[in-house]
Amino acid sequence: MAGVMRLLVILEEDSRIKLELPNGIPSSVDEVIQEIKNFCGLTNDIRLQYKDADFGTWVNLTSTSELKDLATLKVINVVPSDFILRASGILCG
């Protein structure tokens, strides 16, 4: 059994939460997303970014191996592609 992992989760520019995972980091990114969605009561589709130490910028999270205790994650709301196309006038209907 892994130890408790603590994450700082940025929901919006001025909204952050501390999330404690008593069983450590889940084995998949989808499980981390589900933990955050459940804890925060989110129903929309999201993706996660983490602050990459090598590049010093936010990078899409593709593996939980990038996560360490006290890591910071940023929640990015995913907008369905057909909504984007309608909003840009490319898709009509």
Side-chain angles (χ1 to χ4, degrees), residues 2 4 7-8 26 37 41 43 45 47 58-59 65 73 77 85 89 93:
V4 174
L7 301 173
L8 176 64
K37 288 177 75 168
T43 57
D45 291 333
R47 65 183 162 88
W58 294 100
V59 177
S65 65
L73 293 176
N77 290 304
L85 294 175

Side-chain angles (χ1 to χ4, degrees), residues 9-91:
V9 181
I10 302 171
L11 300 170
E12 295 178 13
E13 185 66 31
D14 60 352
S15 180
R16 293 163 172 74
I17 57 120
K18 178 180 176 180
L19 176 62
E20 291 188 358
L21 301 170
N23 298 318
I25 296 294
S27 59
S28 74
V29 173
D30 285 338
E31 290 177 85
V32 176
I33 288 173
Q34 200 56 52
E35 289 276 354
I36 291 171
K37 288 177 75 168
N38 290 342
F39 187 81
C40 297
L42 302 175
T43 57
N44 53 311
D45 291 333
I46 63 171
R47 65 183 162 88
L48 300 174
Q49 292 185 333
Y50 71 99
K51 189 75 173 246
D52 184 78
D54 295 329
F55 295 104
T57 191
W58 294 100
V59 177
N60 291 334
L61 182 67
T62 57
S63 171
T64 58
S65 65
E66 299 294 340
L67 298 177
K68 310 288 184 255
D69 189 37
L70 303 177
T72 300
L73 293 176
K74 184 189 290 188
V75 171
I76 306 296
N77 290 304
V78 176
V79 178
S81 60
D82 63 338
F83 177 80
I84 294 170
L85 294 175
R86 277 195 184 89
S88 66
I90 296 171
L91 181 65

